[in-house]
Amino acid sequence: MSNILNEVLSANQQYVAGFGDKGSLALPPARGFAILTCMDARLDPAKYAGLAEGDAHVIRNAGGRASDDAIRSLVISYKLLGTKEFFVIHHTDCGMEFFTNDVIRDLLANSLETAALTAEGFKDVGKGPGSRAARYIEFLTISDQKQAVIDDVERIRTHPLVPASIPVYGYVYDVKTGRLIEIDEATKIGAVS
């Protein structure tokens, strides 16, 4: 067993010991909202949004992007579990700003091993073989963080499966301060009509 696996299983044993009545939490989120945010390990939505277990749905992916799968989760969140508000929360210093579709496609075509981030960008340090299958994936990279939040809020707001009665708010989390910074234009686009 790896050290990481041992650490996770040990932590789970401690968690189980203090689990208490969490098994009786209701299925719908108690506070009635969902957050779409990045998978970046520096972000802890429970802390930056004051959440306890059972409070809200948190949907995470690379960049916190409004991908088809993220929208699928938001639709399930409101339609079947009653959420009434959505937050799109990107963050500063996001790894999705450090490469383009072409860069990651080229890296994967050369090698499937982890690339290195250098001052000149990502460099392939692994050995082949790679795979050209990445050419069929839209990685939803970010060239302008503020615009990406606006685009994602707009994509959710205008999606035919998202009712106009759900407000969609747009924010950027500052990884240096922990502050949520509202993107006014995104929140205006996401307002209830």
Side-chain angles (χ1 to χ4, degrees):
M1 235 189 282
S2 77
N3 285 341
I4 293 172
L5 178 58
N6 286 332
E7 291 168 3
V8 168
L9 294 178
S10 176
N12 180 251
Q13 288 175 350
Q14 292 176 4
Y15 179 71
V16 167
F19 196 69
D21 63 355
K22 292 177 188 162
S24 62
L25 288 171
L27 182 60
R31 292 179 56 195
F33 68 92
I35 295 173
L36 170 59
T37 197
C38 187
M39 67 185 197
D40 190 300
R42 297 171 292 177
L43 279 64
D44 186 343
K47 290 181 181 170
Y48 75 58
L51 303 177
E53 288 160 306
D55 277 352
H57 288 149
V58 178
I59 300 149
R60 296 181 79 153
N61 66 34
R65 302 307 309 271
S67 64
D68 288 344
D69 192 58
I71 291 174
R72 175 189 67 90
S73 295
L74 290 170
V75 168
I76 292 167
S77 179
Y78 90 81
K79 183 66 175 177
L80 301 180
L81 297 164
T83 56
K84 305 270 188 252
E85 299 178 62
F86 297 158
F87 289 78
V88 172
I89 303 175
H90 291 201
H91 66 94
T92 59
D93 194 37
C94 183
M96 297 300 286
E97 297 174 278
F98 302 149
F99 65 96
T100 64
N101 278 327
D102 288 340
V103 167
I104 193 166
R105 287 173 180 154
D106 289 346
L107 288 168
L108 288 164
N110 291 326
S111 168
L112 299 181
E113 295 180 36
T114 302
L117 181 57
T118 70
E120 293 81 39
F122 284 99
K123 299 292 181 197
D124 199 356
V125 295
K127 296 178 182 168
S131 172
R132 301 211 48 83
R135 67 183 159 196
Y136 302 108
I137 297 175
E138 170 56 56
F139 287 93
L140 301 173
T141 60
I142 297 171
S143 60
D144 178 327
Q145 193 60 257
K146 180 179 174 184
Q147 188 61 51
V149 172
I150 293 166
D151 293 346
D152 285 345
V153 168
E154 183 172 34
R155 181 152 195 261
I156 294 165
R157 163 56 48 235
T158 61
H159 197 282
L161 297 178
V162 176
S165 61
I166 295 178
V168 185
Y169 311 108
Y171 285 82
V172 171
Y173 171 86
D174 186 331
V175 298
K176 301 290 188 211
T177 67
R179 183 179 310 280
L180 290 175
I181 302 161
E182 185 172 20
I183 305 302
D184 294 329
E185 186 178 343
T187 298
K188 285 177 189 169
I189 289 168
V192 172
S193 55

